[in-house]
């Protein structure tokens, strides 16, 4: 899969394709090869009251934890992926290759970087493992709680230098700031808004949810083949994941537009399970961070993109809400030939200078 395709699929559809270009940014001399692991939480209880006897949280770490004289890890960074994504999307050249190398903003010889697959995503516990629609109905707060337990119980991390995330992961970043205000030095949410899922943002999610649940082929989650309604889900994700300029460049004719859409949908149908997609979209229903913005203690640098169809700047929400954050700053990246709408959140070269500023600003 070429780089252009990875960029355009950026944050929603996690790119298992990113693995094709992963890890070559590190050498053996870096002593920072990605390490994969699984942490199992026994009898995990969800906010719905449901429980799972064994909740598996898959994670990848890059770098080595550095502890102070009290044994507290001081260099840990948690990076959170988007809806239907996974840790794999951060291992390609456009993210890790730009941030994790020697002398770069998140130099893996200085930082202990934790990438995890959220509940319902990647290699963590999810409906398609076997429970299907009997899988507990998780929400964003459940996902953050599982991450907290991975860090504290599984990895021995009780303090984070930085929490950052893209899209859904950006929203999780806001939740982290509220739920664990003393846990981190800095927060960097990308491509999201700190407000309830509403307006067009809710509409496109409902379109996907309804297309799957309303398909007779879904069979209450016990389908033998992927229900056809899942195609609508991938079509919507394709539509909102980039910007009109890039879509026209890659598909300048009707025939080419149809071909690009079919290519994207066909790949998605093979790679993503309908129940996993359904659960991932429904998980956002508990998200409404606006009432808690004044409680955040960490310094916040929120980054959005002017050509993002999901979080368009004309709403005015971004600039209005950041004023309520005591140590908050908002940056709106203008559209350019290099931006990809919502998917720009995974093209680190475009916003890495702002990350460097945040890390410098929160040095102790």
């Amino acid at each position: 899969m070429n780089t252009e395709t990875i960029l355009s699929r950026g944050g929603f559809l996690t790119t298992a394709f990113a693995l094709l270009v992963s890890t070559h940014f590190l050498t053996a001399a870096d002593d920072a090869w990605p390490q994969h692991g699984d942490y199992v939480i026994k009898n995990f209880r969800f906010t719905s009251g449901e429980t799972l006897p064994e909740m598996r949280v898959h994670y990848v770490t890059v770098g080595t934890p550095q502890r102070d004289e009290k044994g507290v890890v001081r260099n840990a960074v948690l990076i959170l992926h988007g809806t239907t994504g996974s840790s794999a999307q951060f291992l390609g050249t456009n993210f890790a290759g730009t941030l994790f190398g020697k002398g770069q903003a998140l130099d893996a010889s200085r930082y202990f970087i934790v990438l995890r697959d959220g509940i319902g995503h990647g290699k963590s516990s999810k409906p398609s493992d076997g429970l299907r629609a009997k899988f507990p109905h998780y929400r964003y707060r459940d996902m953050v709680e599982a991450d907290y337990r991975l860090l504290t119980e599984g990895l021995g991390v009780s303090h984070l230098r930085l929490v950052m995330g893209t899209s859904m992961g950006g929203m999780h970043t806001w939740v982290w700031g509220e739920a664990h205000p003393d846990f981190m030095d800095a927060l960097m949410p990308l491509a999201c808004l700190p407000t309830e899922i509403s307006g067009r943002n809710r509409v496109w999610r409902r379109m996907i949810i309804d297309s799957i649940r309303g398909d007779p082929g879904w069979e209450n989650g016990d389908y033998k083949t992927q229900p056809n309604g899942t195609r609508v889900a991938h079509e919507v994700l394709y539509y909102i994941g980039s910007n009109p300029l890039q879509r026209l460049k890659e598909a300048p004719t009707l025939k080419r537009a149809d071909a690009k859409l079919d290519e994207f949908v066909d790949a998605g149908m093979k790679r993503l399970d309908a129940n996993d997609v359904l659960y991932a979209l429904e998980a956002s229903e508990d998200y409404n961070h606006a009432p808690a913005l004044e409680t955040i203690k960490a310094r916040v640098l929120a980054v959005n993109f002017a050509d993002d169809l999901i979080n368009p700047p004309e709403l005015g929400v971004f600039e209005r809400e950041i004023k309520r954050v005591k140590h908050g700053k908002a940056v709106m990246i203008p559209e350019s030939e290099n931006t990809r709408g919502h998917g720009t959140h995974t093209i680190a070269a475009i916003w890495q200078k702002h990350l460097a500023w945040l890390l410098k600003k929160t040095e102790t």
Side-chain angles (χ1 to χ4, degrees):
M1 189 59 60
N2 63 42
T3 302
E4 177 60 31
T5 303
I6 290 173
L7 292 181
S8 66
R9 293 182 179 181
F12 281 96
L13 295 186
T14 29
T15 78
F17 310 113
L19 292 174
L20 296 177
V21 291
S22 68
T23 70
H24 77 272
F25 61 91
L26 297 171
T27 66
D30 288 320
D31 193 27
W33 290 100
Q35 302 293 316
H36 294 254
D38 294 289
Y39 179 64
V40 176
I41 305 172
K42 299 290 187 179
N43 299 313
F44 185 86
R45 186 175 182 83
F46 295 79
T47 53
S48 65
E50 299 166 281
T51 60
L52 195 63
E54 292 190 344
M55 167 65 74
R56 181 182 67 258
V57 182
H58 182 75
Y59 64 90
V60 179
T61 62
V62 184
T64 304
Q66 298 173 6
R67 301 180 183 274
D68 63 17
E69 63 280 359
K70 296 181 180 179
V72 177
V73 176
R74 291 298 179 184
N75 67 331
V77 173
L78 177 65
I79 304 179
L80 307 166
H81 62 73
T83 304
T84 73
S86 76
S87 55
Q89 72 186 64
F90 297 125
L91 294 178
T93 53
N94 293 310
F95 198 92
T98 304
L99 297 179
F100 297 174
K102 198 73 173 177
Q104 294 175 337
L106 291 176
D107 184 337
S109 67
R110 296 182 56 204
Y111 293 101
F112 177 56
I113 301 162
V114 180
L115 315 170
R116 62 80 177 110
D117 294 348
I119 296 174
H121 293 70
K123 296 180 181 179
S124 291
S125 294
K126 55 187 181 293
S128 62
D129 290 340
L131 288 177
R132 296 190 165 195
K134 296 181 179 65
F135 191 86
H137 294 81
Y138 66 88
R139 295 293 184 262
Y140 281 5
R141 290 189 178 276
D142 297 314
M143 300 175 81
V144 170
E145 174 63 17
D147 296 342
Y148 177 80
R149 294 185 64 178
L150 163 66
L151 290 168
T152 57
E153 300 170 8
L155 298 176
V157 173
S158 60
H159 178 270
L160 288 168
R161 180 70 180 82
L162 169 71
V163 181
M164 66 180 294
T166 62
S167 191
M168 175 184 71
M171 291 186 275
H172 289 181
T173 301
W174 286 110
V175 176
W176 263 96
E178 171 199 347
H180 305 285
D182 297 309
F183 201 87
M184 75 292 295
D185 298 330
L187 299 164
M188 188 172 176
L190 294 106
C192 65
L193 295 173
T195 191
E196 185 175 17
I197 301 293
S198 58
R200 188 170 65 186
N201 198 358
R202 174 57 176 170
V203 170
W204 72 261
R205 294 168 193 269
R206 270 289 305 278
M207 290 170 65
I208 291 175
I209 291 168
D210 291 352
S211 71
I212 296 174
R213 284 196 177 278
D215 189 328
W218 182 58
E219 297 184 6
N220 294 316
D222 293 324
Y223 45 84
K224 302 298 187 294
T225 59
Q226 296 296 317
N228 193 59
T230 314
R231 297 187 67 86
V232 177
H234 294 299
E235 289 172 348
V236 173
L237 292 173
Y238 178 82
Y239 172 74
I240 62 176
S242 187
N243 63 28
L245 177 62
Q246 294 302 324
R247 290 296 184 227
L248 183 60
K249 283 184 177 181
E250 67 187 22
T253 66
L254 184 149
K255 183 177 181 179
R256 185 59 180 155
D258 283 349
K260 290 293 290 186
L261 179 60
D262 288 342
E263 175 189 345
F264 184 88
V265 172
D266 290 345
M269 289 291 287
K270 294 175 183 176
R271 188 169 54 83
L272 291 173
D273 175 79
N275 282 327
D276 291 346
V277 173
L278 174 65
Y279 270 68
L281 270 295
E282 291 183 334
S284 65
E285 292 177 3
D286 73 336
Y287 179 74
N288 183 12
H289 194 73
L293 290 176
E294 285 86 359
T295 69
I296 296 176
K297 296 181 180 180
R299 181 170 291 277
V300 178
L301 176 61
V303 177
N304 273 11
F305 310 102
D307 54 351
D308 184 347
L309 298 182
I310 297 176
N311 307 291
E314 57 266 30
L315 296 178
V317 173
F318 191 52
E319 295 81 2
R320 182 189 73 223
E321 296 302 304
I322 197 66
K323 295 175 182 177
R324 298 172 50 205
V325 180
K326 185 176 181 180
H327 303 292
K329 178 181 178 181
V331 173
M332 182 69 71
I333 304 291
E335 181 178 8
S336 73
E337 63 179 12
N338 296 316
T339 59
R340 298 294 186 274
H342 190 72
T344 310
H345 58 55
T346 315
I347 311 174
I350 293 176
W351 44 261
Q352 63 177 329
K353 68 178 182 181
H354 301 292
L355 170 60
W357 175 89
L358 179 62
L359 291 170
K360 182 70 174 178
K361 197 74 174 178
T362 52
E363 283 182 348
T364 56

